[in-house]
């Protein structure tokens, strides 16, 4: 019955548009509709996912304050469960989601739908959400922003797939890119950040070809999220006024340090993943997951609970309370925690953890100079931009994201400076970003799977078949 209703709606829309005299207008409107529909869906999913993620992290905090020792049980169980869900149902839903989107954009073509389905699909959305929430309940140092990008790209691709045959064709690659931009905008409430991210991180295509689609989709997804959550800032309004004349020198120092550390953390993650690829038995993965969980819980139990979670609490503490300066071990925890969580094989992003790590480094460096509140906040924001740039190698995206999260337009040049210096410093460790390395690995894995499937489908030679079937 539902199929009949959809068919009637489609026919009604077709007849309505057939009555339009301007063919170009008709085509433009029809091509825009899938972007608008997908944007609304993306905004709704982003809001629900954000709420669920908040409840998951809040549950971890409640368990810790109720009986902290329970985390020694809860965290290993959640780490193993989150990994198993991904391994069992959708292997390519693991990790952030941004490398998968980049790989999908790279390989999308007329004959690659099966490959792209493994990266972007409804099943990936469901597994991504469940696995990341389970990991968050266990105190995993992950974020929801990268997963939201993969979820949004999957939504846009699915909407494009269900269009009727008579509908004007929309480029698959453009739908995926636009979905990723809308996902980031809805996750952070940063429309400019979503647009810049699409240009800087995801696409090599000439931007003018689909700029209208990106602009409208980002706006609609953002407005949908704002319509439910209200016009919020991801962080708030930190005090940034009366900065010292030469604060840019300290900004440059923090940017260089965080750029190096962000790239070093990425390198550390890649080394762990390469080592884990040699595991032959599932018990080896389980042992690794238990060790990661126990290390993080030990940090939280004996030193500081802030070792767990996405790192947003760390950002809010150093920016908006009198406790401005991080102790020396906090940057260490905020680097080790995300690295261990990201390499579990479960779903979870690294955007927010990278920002949290950068904030802890910036506040720690500010303690060296005993800076004022405003100058300290400036170094914290610079650290956030620098560390995220060290991971992503997208300095303008990082600067615009932090700018929109805090609405501090007067320091835009300081943030861009931080991003540029961090990008240069990060290249001393590795010329490529974490996402670039992971994208290439996903493409290699997909190709290997395809070759294995083709090998299994090939008929065996007759002589070999007879030989195998003959009695011993």
């Amino acid at each position: 019955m539902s199929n009949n209703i959809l068919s009637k709606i489609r026919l009604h829309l077709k007849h309505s548009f057939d009555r339009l005299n301007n063919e170009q207008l008709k085509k433009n409107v029809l091509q825009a509709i899938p972007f608008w529909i997908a944007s609304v869906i993306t905004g709704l999913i982003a809001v629900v996912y954000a709420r669920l993620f908040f409840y998951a992290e809040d549950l971890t905090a409640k368990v810790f304050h109720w009986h902290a020792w329970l985390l020694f049980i809860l965290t290993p169980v959640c780490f193993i469960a989150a990994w198993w869900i991904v391994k069992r149902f959708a292997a390519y839903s693991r990790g952030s989601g941004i490398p998968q989107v980049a790989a999908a954009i790279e390989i999308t073509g007329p004959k690659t739908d099966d490959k792209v389905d493994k990266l972007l699909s409804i099943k990936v959305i469901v597994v991504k959400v469940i696995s990341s929430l389970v990991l968050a309940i266990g105190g995993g140092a992950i974020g929801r922003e990268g997963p939201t990008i993969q979820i949004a790209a999957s939504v846009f691709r699915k909407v494009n797939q269900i269009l009727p045959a008579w509908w004007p064709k929309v480029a698959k690659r453009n739908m995926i890119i636009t979905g990723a931009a809308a996902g980031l905008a809805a996750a952070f409430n940063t429309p400019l950040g979503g647009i810049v991210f699409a240009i800087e991180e995801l696409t090599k295509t000439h931007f003018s070809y689909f700029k209208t689609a990106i602009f409208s989709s980002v706006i609609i997804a953002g407005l949908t999220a704002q319509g439910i959550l209200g016009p919020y800032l991801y962080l708030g309004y930190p005090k940034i006024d009366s900065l010292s004349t030469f604060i840019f020198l300290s900004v440059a120092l923090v940017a260089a340090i965080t750029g190096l550390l962000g790239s070093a953390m990425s390198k550390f993650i890649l080394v762990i993943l390469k080592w884990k690829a040699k595991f032959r038995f599932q018990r080896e993965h389980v042992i690794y997951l238990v060790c990661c969980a126990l290390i993080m819980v030990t940090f939280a139990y004996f030193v500081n609970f802030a070792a767990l979670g996405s790192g947003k609490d760390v950002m809010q503490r150093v920016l908006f309370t009198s406790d401005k300066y991080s102790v020396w071990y906090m940057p260490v925890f905020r680097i080790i925690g995300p690295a261990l969580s990201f390499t579990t094989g479960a779903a979870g992003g690294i955007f927010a953890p990278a920002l949290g790590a950068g904030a802890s480094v910036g506040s720690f460096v500010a303690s060296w100079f005993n800076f004022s509140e405003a100058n300290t906040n400036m170094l914290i924001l610079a650290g956030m931009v620098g560390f995220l740039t060290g991971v992503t190698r997208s300095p303008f995206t990082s600067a615009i994201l932090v700018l929109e999260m805090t609405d501090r337009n007067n320091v835009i040049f300081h943030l861009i400076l931080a991003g540029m210096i961090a990008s240069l410093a990060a290249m001393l460790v590795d010329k490529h970003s974490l996402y670039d390395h992971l994208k290439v690995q996903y493409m290699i894995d997909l190709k290997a799977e395809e070759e294995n499937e083709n090998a299994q489908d090939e008929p065996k030679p007759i002589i070999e078949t007879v030989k195998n079937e003959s009695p011993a």
Side-chain angles (χ1 to χ4, degrees):
M1 181 177 178
S2 59
N3 290 333
N4 291 334
I5 295 173
L6 286 174
S7 298
K8 290 180 180 179
I9 293 173
R10 288 174 178 175
L11 287 174
H12 179 72
L13 289 172
K14 185 176 185 299
H15 294 324
S16 299
F17 278 101
D18 285 342
R19 288 194 290 270
L20 291 175
N21 295 323
N22 191 321
E23 291 298 322
Q24 187 59 46
L25 174 62
K26 185 192 304 183
K27 181 179 179 181
N28 290 342
V29 172
L30 283 174
Q31 285 185 322
I33 288 174
F35 289 97
W36 298 341
I37 293 173
S39 297
V40 172
I41 297 172
T42 293
L44 293 172
I45 292 177
V47 169
V48 174
Y49 184 37
R51 288 281 176 85
L52 292 175
F53 203 90
F54 169 78
Y55 293 142
E57 290 195 309
D58 188 53
L59 178 59
T60 309
K62 288 180 178 178
V63 171
F64 179 81
H65 291 111
W66 180 45
H67 288 303
W69 61 267
L70 284 175
L71 289 180
F72 284 97
I73 301 172
L74 177 66
T75 300
V77 170
C78 287
F79 273 45
I80 293 170
W83 162 76
W84 181 84
I85 290 168
V86 167
K87 180 177 174 58
R88 173 66 179 81
F89 297 104
Y92 290 94
S93 64
R94 65 185 181 271
S96 165
I98 295 175
Q100 292 93 316
V101 173
I105 293 168
E106 188 88 11
I107 66 175
T108 291
K111 300 179 180 180
T112 59
D113 280 346
D114 290 342
K115 286 184 179 180
V116 180
D117 275 339
K118 296 179 180 179
L119 300 169
L120 305 173
S121 66
I122 300 300
K123 183 167 72 171
V124 166
I125 293 175
V126 175
V127 173
K128 194 85 178 180
V129 171
I130 295 174
S131 177
S132 61
L133 290 176
V134 171
L135 192 61
I137 291 172
I142 58 168
R144 59 177 170 81
E145 295 74 26
T148 303
I149 289 171
Q150 188 178 14
I151 289 168
S154 298
V155 169
F156 272 69
R157 181 170 182 267
K158 188 62 181 179
V159 169
N160 193 27
Q161 286 179 321
I162 63 176
L163 294 176
W166 55 266
W167 204 281
K169 300 300 179 185
V170 179
K172 298 176 182 178
R173 182 175 284 107
N174 290 357
M175 282 293 284
I176 295 172
I177 294 170
T178 307
L184 184 64
F188 277 122
N189 190 31
T190 53
L192 288 178
I195 294 168
V196 175
F197 173 74
I199 301 170
E200 187 176 29
E201 179 70 23
L202 294 176
T203 180
K204 308 298 181 185
T205 309
H206 198 286
F207 182 58
S208 63
Y209 293 156
F210 59 105
K211 62 184 179 184
T212 302
I214 287 185
F215 287 156
S216 61
S217 297
V218 164
I219 291 169
I220 293 171
L223 287 177
T224 302
Q226 279 196 14
I228 300 173
L229 298 177
Y232 70 99
L233 288 180
Y234 185 83
L235 287 176
Y237 301 92
K239 182 180 179 182
I240 302 286
D241 55 14
S242 303
L243 294 173
S244 299
T245 305
F246 297 103
I247 190 64
F248 66 90
L249 296 175
S250 300
V251 167
L253 173 63
V254 169
I257 294 172
T258 50
L260 289 170
L261 290 175
S263 187
M265 185 184 77
S266 301
K267 198 78 171 178
F268 180 48
I269 288 172
L270 292 170
V271 169
I272 294 176
L273 292 175
K274 185 177 180 180
W275 170 63
K276 283 187 63 189
K278 299 177 183 178
F279 289 178
R280 294 181 178 274
F281 305 103
Q282 287 199 10
R283 66 172 178 269
E284 294 174 297
H285 291 277
V286 173
I287 292 171
Y288 176 76
L289 292 169
V290 172
C291 289
C292 290
L294 293 178
I295 289 171
M296 293 185 62
V297 174
T298 300
F299 288 164
Y301 186 86
F302 291 104
V303 186
N304 196 316
F305 176 72
L308 303 181
S310 64
K312 187 175 181 180
D313 289 345
V314 174
M315 291 182 265
Q316 291 177 325
R317 175 181 61 80
V318 295
L319 283 172
F320 302 108
T321 72
S322 58
D323 188 11
K324 305 296 294 181
Y325 301 139
S326 293
V327 292
W328 66 269
Y329 56 75
M330 188 52 64
V332 178
F333 288 177
R334 293 311 313 172
I335 291 173
I336 293 177
L340 295 180
S341 301
F342 194 82
T343 54
T344 58
I350 204 166
F351 256 59
L355 293 170
S360 64
V361 173
S363 63
F364 176 59
V365 173
S367 69
W368 299 350
F369 308 105
N370 196 26
F371 275 156
S372 66
E373 179 182 2
N375 288 331
T376 299
N377 285 345
M378 183 67 257
L379 293 197
I380 292 168
L381 298 183
M384 292 164 62
V385 172
F387 203 99
L388 186 58
T389 299
V391 174
T392 65
R393 306 304 167 81
S394 304
F396 296 107
T397 298
S398 302
I400 295 300
L401 281 175
V402 173
L403 174 72
E404 290 188 283
M405 287 177 194
T406 56
D407 195 24
R408 303 288 84 173
N409 298 325
N410 58 313
V411 296
I412 179 60
F413 295 113
H414 297 76
L415 299 182
I416 292 176
L417 173 67
M420 296 299 293
I421 292 176
S423 182
L424 293 173
M427 292 184 68
L428 298 175
V429 178
D430 194 330
K431 293 182 179 179
H432 302 285
S433 74
L434 173 64
Y435 294 151
D436 287 337
H437 285 291
L438 294 178
K439 179 191 76 171
V440 172
Q441 187 58 54
Y442 285 134
M443 294 170 66
I444 292 172
D445 291 346
L446 287 168
K447 185 177 180 181
E449 288 181 8
E450 183 182 31
E451 290 174 352
N452 290 336
E453 290 171 1
N454 292 337
Q456 292 175 359
D457 293 339
E458 289 179 1
K460 295 182 179 180
I462 296 176
I463 296 177
E464 182 181 346
T465 303
V466 172
K467 181 178 178 182
N468 290 337
E469 293 178 355
S470 61

